[in-house]
Amino acid sequence: MLDLSDKRILVTGGSGFLGKQVVEQLLQAGANADKLTIPRSRNCDLRIIDNCQKAVAQQDIIIHLAAHVGGIGLNREKPAELFYDNLMMGAQLIHAAYQAGVEKFVCIGTICAYPKFTPVPFQEDDLWNGYPEETNAPYGIAKKALLVQLQSYRDQYGFNGIYLLPVNLYGPEDNFNPRSSHVIPALIRKVYEAQQQGINELRVWGDGSPTREFLYSTDAARGIVMATQLYNDPEPVNLGTNYEISIRNLVELISELMEFKGQIIWETDKPNGQPRRCLDTHRAQETFGFKAEMNLKQGLKNTIDWYRKNPS
């Protein structure tokens, strides 16, 4: 196991939703707070190579969480930005880290990289067996290119880079901005605002048939830190729960937990996104012992409670 106590660790995106949890898990795993570096995008735009080179200098481990990401709405509105920003941040940071002699690079990918019709549950070996769902493709392909980069740098330079594929994340402090949020925070906010405004209906994109899998942010962070300490192979690894729920059932569960009694109106002229998402999680369990602990209902309760105390 990699001893983190004397390692200088850079966490890009470390002040974000997942990043805060990763920093906390690093500290619990023995990392030295004085040796943790968390760059902020306003001062360190990773799309600029000079900033990447400065950020990685003298670092031992890089955990790359920073991403330009959102839900279906943002994917449709800004596909070019999502492709360019994520590709440039990741590719330049990996190259700078290799040049600086960084000991280990931990890259966080996305399940948006999987083909649209991947057999369920998604296995890592199926990652290249087709084109991603169209609205996800610019973001997913940009992030998947980083896997190729890490594997090629390992082959040519012996650079130790690993690639993790977390499923859809949720939890307290998630992004609840309706223009860029993912499905769980978007639904929680919609229900909350309907209740505040006395509206007895909830409009939801699609027909409710797609399935999704959701990983609580604390579990995801714990998995990332476990992989940082224990995993050193080139193959990508899924991080998930291996439990899927339909969007229809998710809406009903959130409505139940928030005691919303209104009518659900499905906007079937809007896109569904990928038909099904559920991950095979055997590789993570077998290679570094990761298994999710938070069940969906309790995780949703925690997230709803947080948002009610911090509505935006």
Side-chain angles (χ1 to χ4, degrees):
M1 179 182 288
L2 185 62
D3 182 1
L4 302 178
S5 62
D6 63 343
K7 301 297 183 186
R8 293 160 297 185
I9 305 172
L10 176 79
V11 184
T12 73
S15 59
F17 164 53
L18 175 60
K20 290 177 183 176
Q21 298 290 341
V22 169
V23 168
E24 178 59 32
Q25 293 292 323
L26 283 168
L27 294 173
Q28 289 187 29
N32 184 334
D34 293 332
K35 295 189 175 184
L36 284 176
T37 302
I38 303 168
R40 301 299 295 264
S41 58
R42 61 177 176 266
N43 303 319
C44 185
D45 184 343
L46 296 175
R47 295 171 300 180
I48 299 169
I49 186 66
D50 287 352
N51 291 339
C52 293
Q53 292 168 338
K54 291 172 187 174
V56 302
Q58 308 302 316
Q59 300 293 333
D60 299 308
I61 299 170
I62 311 295
I63 300 178
H64 180 43
L65 305 172
H68 186 177
V69 63
I72 291 178
L74 187 69
N75 288 347
R76 296 175 82 199
E77 181 185 351
K78 297 185 175 181
E81 287 183 30
L82 291 171
F83 179 82
Y84 180 85
D85 290 353
N86 288 292
L87 181 64
M88 296 308 290
M89 283 193 291
Q92 295 186 140
L93 196 68
I94 290 169
H95 188 69
Y98 149 67
Q99 289 184 314
V102 167
E103 181 180 337
K104 187 168 188 177
F105 194 104
V106 181
C107 187
I108 309 306
T110 173
I111 59 159
C112 293
Y114 273 103
K116 182 174 182 177
F117 296 107
T118 309
V120 177
F122 294 7
Q123 295 186 339
E124 293 92 344
D125 293 341
D126 289 329
L127 195 59
W128 296 100
N129 293 342
Y131 195 76
E133 192 277 326
E134 291 77 7
T135 58
N136 291 322
Y139 173 64
I141 290 173
K143 295 290 277 187
K144 187 154 63 168
L146 306 180
L147 169 61
V148 179
Q149 184 179 8
L150 287 172
Q151 290 175 333
S152 59
Y153 278 47
R154 180 185 292 268
D155 288 344
Q156 186 171 346
Y157 305 130
F159 184 62
N160 185 13
I162 66 170
Y163 189 90
L164 306 174
L165 290 153
V167 77
N168 298 56
L169 303 179
Y170 75 105
E173 299 189 68
D174 203 342
N175 170 25
F176 288 84
N177 183 326
R179 290 181 61 82
S180 58
S181 59
H182 286 103
V183 61
I184 284 178
L187 287 171
I188 290 172
R189 179 171 177 149
K190 277 188 176 184
V191 172
Y192 178 85
E193 290 182 346
Q195 290 174 320
Q196 294 298 304
Q197 297 165 19
I199 298 171
N200 287 317
E201 66 177 37
L202 185 69
R203 306 187 77 87
V204 183
W205 277 22
D207 61 15
S209 65
T211 66
R212 293 291 181 265
E213 175 182 347
F214 299 98
L215 181 63
Y216 196 64
S217 56
T218 305
D219 276 337
R222 185 169 52 82
I224 290 166
V225 174
M226 290 175 72
T228 301
Q229 292 185 281
L230 296 164
Y231 187 69
N232 296 292
D233 294 335
E235 292 80 18
V237 184
N238 289 333
L239 294 180
T241 63
N242 193 228
Y243 171 77
E244 66 181 317
I245 183 172
S246 73
I247 297 300
R248 183 175 296 275
N249 289 342
L250 176 67
V251 171
E252 291 171 354
L253 179 56
I254 288 174
S255 296
E256 174 192 327
L257 292 172
M258 297 183 74
E259 299 182 341
F260 176 71
K261 310 294 185 184
Q263 180 185 8
I264 310 299
I265 298 173
W266 297 97
E267 297 187 319
T268 55
D269 59 323
K270 298 292 198 301
N272 271 328
Q274 193 160 19
R276 290 180 69 187
R277 275 191 197 158
C278 184
L279 300 186
D280 183 304
T281 55
H282 284 92
R283 185 174 288 175
Q285 191 162 354
E286 291 166 3
T287 55
F288 52 91
F290 172 72
K291 186 173 183 180
E293 295 175 350
M294 180 65 70
N295 71 69
L296 181 61
K297 190 170 185 178
Q298 184 60 54
L300 287 173
K301 285 181 181 178
N302 295 349
T303 308
I304 290 165
D305 289 346
W306 182 88
Y307 185 70
R308 280 178 166 155
K309 294 172 184 172
N310 303 274
S312 54

